[in-house]
Amino acid sequence: MKIIDLRSDTVTLPTPAMREAMAKAKVGDDVYGEDPTINQLQEMSAEMLGKEAGLFVPSGTMGNLIALLSHCGRGDEIIVGNKAHIFLHEAGGVSALGGIHSHQITNQNDGTLALTDIKNAIRPSDAHAPITKLVALENTQNSCGGITLSQDYINQVGDLAKERGLILHLDGARVFNAAAASTSTVKELSSPFDSVTFCLSKGLCAPVGSVLCGSNKFIAKAHRIRKQLGGGMRQAGILASAGIIALEEMSKRLSEDHERARTLAEGLAGVSGIVLDEGTPYTNMIFMSLAEHIEYPAEKIIAHMHKARGIRIGMTGERSFRLVLHYWIDDEDVKQVVDAFEELLG
Ligand SMILES: *Cc1c(COP(=O)(O)O)cnc(C)c1O
C-alpha cells in the first residue's frame, strides 16, 4: 500500500535529481566559508530575495531565532502575531535564549496584524516599558489556513516600520508558496523586510535546511550567532546542493500543489461528514472539520485512514484536520483520498 502522507510538506523526500546532486556536490569547510556549494546557494538565495547576503542554517526555527537574536538584545520587545510560528511553535526560543520579550497581537482571519494593533503595541519611551525593536510577519501564514499576505499590506507595514524606526522580519518559511499564489515575485514579497527566513525542506523538497537573508552587516552578525547556537556545519554542501535544485526547479512547480489542493477540496466538499473551513485552500493546505452528525473524534478517523487506507492526515483539534499537498502527492492520490473520505464519512 502506498502511503499518502498529507500531514505536512515537511514529509517531502528529496527528488532523484537532488540525490544525484548530493552525491556529486563539491564541498569544503563552511565554518571557514570554504564550501563552494553552500556559497552558491547563499548567493542564489540572496539574489532571488533581493538581499545582499544569505546564510544557510539547519532549520527555519534556527533561521528565525538567529534573525531575532541578531536584531534584538535582552529586554527588547518584538511584536508578533498570536498565531505566528515564532510564538506558537518555536519552543519559546527568543525568550529562553535571547531574553527577548514578545508582544503578541491578534492575527486577523486574513493572516494580517491590523496596522492599528501594531501602532498600539509600540511602546512609549518610558523606563517602565521594554523597547519595541521589531515586527515579525509570516507569509504564508500557516495557522491562518496558509493564507498569503498581499503586497499592498506588507508595503504598508514596511512604511509603518520605517516611520517608527522598527526592524521588519519575515518568517517566510513558505514565501515561495506565497509568490506562487500571488502576482508578486519572492523578491517583491521580501522587499519591505530587513531579514527573511525561508525553508528549503518543505514544499521545495530538500531534505534539510533553510536560508536567512539580509544585509551584509546583518549576515555577518548572524554568522557569529549561528556558531554560538551550534549551527555552524562543516561539509554541508551535500545538503546545499539539494537546496540549489529546490530553488532552481522546485520553486517553479508549487502552483501544481495549489491546484491539487483545490481539486481535493472540491472533492471533499461533496462529502456530507466534512465541513471545509471558509476560504480553504489558499495555497497548499486544506483545513476542515467534522460535521455535527459525525460521532467519532478526529483521532479515530486519522487512525482508521492510516491503517485501512495508508492515508496520513494532520490533526488540528478534537474534530479538525489539516491536509497538505506537496510534490509526492499526485492526481491519483487525490482521488483516493476523496474516495476514502466518501466511504467513511459520506
Ligand atoms: C516550518 C515552519 C518554520 C520552521 O520550521 P523548521 O521545522 O524549524 O524548519 C517556521 N515558520 C513557519 C511558518 C513554518 O511553517
Side-chain angles (χ1 to χ4, degrees), residues 8 24 27 58 69 71 97-98 109 128 161 165 171 174 193 209 219 241 250 258 291 304 316 328 336 338:
S8 177
K24 291 186 190 150
V27 294
L69 294 180
H71 289 308
L97 303 171
N109 288 339
H128 296 83
D171 176 355
R174 295 188 183 80
F193 297 91
I219 291 296
S241 64
M250 306 308 279
H258 300 178
H304 171 85
T316 53
W328 295 101
Q336 290 217 16
V338 175

Side-chain angles (χ1 to χ4, degrees), residues 4 260 263-264 267-268 309 311 329-342:
I4 302 173
R260 269 194 200 101
T263 307
L264 177 55
L268 294 172
R309 307 292 296 246
I311 297 169
I329 305 293
D330 62 21
D331 293 335
E332 178 54 31
D333 299 334
V334 165
K335 208 168 146 297
Q336 290 217 16
V337 174
V338 175
D339 289 349
F341 272 104
E342 181 58 41

Side-chain angles (χ1 to χ4, degrees), residues 10 58-62 64 85-86 90 138 140 142 171 173-174 199 201-202 210:
T10 57
S59 69
T61 299
M62 194 187 280
N64 284 331
H85 195 276
I86 290 172
E90 299 187 4
E138 186 176 311
T140 64
N142 183 356
D171 176 355
R174 295 188 183 80
C199 291
S201 62
K202 293 187 170 164
S210 286

